Amino acid sequence: MPKLIVTHKGQAHRDEFMAICILLSALGERKAPLCNIERRDHTPKDLADPDIIVLDQGGVFDIANGNLDHHQLPRDAEPTCSITQVLRYLGIDVITAREIWQWLEFSERLDSKGPLATASHYGMPQESLLATVSPVETFMLMWFEKCNYIEVDSPLHDIMSGIGREKLQYLQAVQERLIGLAQVT
């Protein structure tokens, strides 16, 4: 089980923040010890250690070693971000997650294709894209960005785990409801 999550330093983005939230919650549900989070450059040793999840950096997607990057994909690849890679790592169906979490595809496209291509894809002026950013999201990303080390049981770690828990519970509840509806009809 992972003992540490390492993600890039510098500007924080929705994709690695939400990916870590989901990861923390899923690991907690699996009774794994909760992981500390370090925002720093990865090392070759990190990439080789399956007990360290290297997220959103490293240029490698390798589930067995916990290397969950998407930046090595070609520019014309399907929109993919850190959230996508974490879902794959956890064995969660990405297509189903996109259908239930309406925000996921937007996040994937924004992170992998950029704001201009995302605005164009959704047929909106680029300046309208800013209207889609929540002030709560901005605050959380700024808080996350200021931290180089996020320790288990710190307020930010607790909030991130809670966000992930809510997202995974919602995903599971909707999936169960859809299964129930399919059995009735």
Side-chain angles (χ1 to χ4, degrees):
M1 283 295 178
K3 60 184 178 190
L4 178 66
I5 300 169
V6 175
T7 192
H8 63 81
K9 59 186 180 181
Q11 186 175 12
H13 301 110
R14 175 191 298 182
D15 76 310
E16 80 267 9
F17 180 86
M18 288 302 300
I20 293 171
C21 292
I22 292 165
L23 195 52
L24 291 174
S25 177
L27 293 173
E29 287 175 8
R30 295 176 183 184
K31 308 298 183 221
L34 292 178
C35 299
N36 293 323
I37 304 158
E38 293 184 12
R39 298 190 71 247
R40 61 171 172 81
D41 292 333
H42 71 283
T43 66
K45 185 178 175 185
D46 295 331
L47 290 171
D49 187 342
D51 291 332
I52 297 175
I53 294 178
V54 178
L55 182 74
D56 208 31
Q57 63 174 328
V60 179
F61 180 67
D62 176 7
I63 288 176
N65 281 323
N67 300 318
L68 309 178
D69 196 11
H70 63 97
H71 293 100
Q72 74 281 1
L73 297 173
R75 190 80 171 137
D76 62 347
E78 174 184 348
T80 302
C81 68
S82 296
I83 303 164
T84 318
Q85 304 301 54
V86 163
L87 294 174
R88 290 179 175 135
Y89 173 78
L90 296 171
I92 296 172
D93 182 62
V94 175
I95 294 169
T96 301
R98 280 187 193 121
E99 291 170 358
I100 295 171
W101 289 336
Q102 296 291 309
W103 53 268
L104 178 56
E105 182 183 349
F106 179 86
S107 298
E108 291 169 320
R109 188 168 297 283
L110 183 63
D111 192 73
S112 64
K113 306 301 180 194
L116 291 175
T118 300
S120 175
H121 176 80
Y122 289 105
M124 62 182 3
Q126 182 185 358
E127 54 276 2
S128 295
L129 204 57
L130 294 175
T132 68
V133 179
S134 160
V136 175
E137 177 179 354
T138 304
F139 175 81
M140 293 305 301
L141 290 177
M142 288 175 61
W143 185 7
F144 181 65
E145 189 174 296
K146 291 177 184 176
C147 300
N148 294 324
Y149 184 74
I150 302 161
E151 199 169 5
V152 171
D153 294 329
S154 69
L156 181 54
H157 196 287
D158 291 346
I159 290 169
M160 291 177 76
S161 296
I163 290 169
R165 187 169 37 260
E166 185 278 327
K167 292 299 160 211
L168 289 176
Q169 286 172 349
Y170 180 77
L171 181 65
Q172 182 178 359
V174 172
Q175 286 176 306
E176 289 171 1
R177 179 87 171 122
L178 291 172
I179 291 168
L181 288 172
Q183 291 172 348
V184 171
T185 56

